[in-house]
Amino acid sequence: MTTILSQPPISPVDWPTEVWEPIMTGLSWLLGFAIVTCVAALMVCGAVFVNQRKSTGTQMVEDATLARILICAALIGSASGIAKAVLA
């Protein structure tokens, strides 16, 4: 004979605002930092890309690597912006 000792709750558990507010504040700060970091990465990588194209010397970073960094920064920045809008 099998005895069930516990069952999952029938209704979802609502967390009090004392728990949600610090979590949402931390996520908001994290998303803001991610957006600023991605914009800075786009600017720096763009500047390095232009500098390498204009200079005739050696390249600091390969063009393909810079292109990947630019694409990833744009994707992360977009996802951060969308997540920030959803959390608001």
Side-chain angles (χ1 to χ4, degrees), residues 2 7 13 19 21 25 33-35 52 62 71 73 82 86:
T2 306
Q7 294 181 350
V13 177
V19 174
E21 283 187 28
T25 302
F33 178 72
I35 290 171
Q52 286 185 176
E62 291 183 15
I71 291 169
I82 293 170
V86 169

Side-chain angles (χ1 to χ4, degrees), residues 40-55 58-74:
L42 285 172
M43 289 181 173
V44 169
C45 286
V48 170
F49 195 67
V50 168
N51 186 26
Q52 286 185 176
R53 288 288 180 186
K54 286 186 175 186
S55 68
T58 60
Q59 291 184 342
M60 295 186 322
V61 181
E62 291 183 15
D63 292 341
T65 303
L66 276 175
R68 284 187 215 118
I69 292 170
L70 287 170
I71 291 169
C72 289

Side-chain angles (χ1 to χ4, degrees), residues 14-51:
D14 292 330
W15 289 3
T17 56
E18 293 86 16
V19 174
W20 275 114
E21 283 187 28
I23 292 172
M24 296 305 276
T25 302
L27 286 176
S28 176
W29 278 95
L30 180 65
L31 289 173
F33 178 72
I35 290 171
V36 169
T37 303
C38 287
V39 169
L42 285 172
M43 289 181 173
V44 169
C45 286
V48 170
F49 195 67
V50 168
N51 186 26

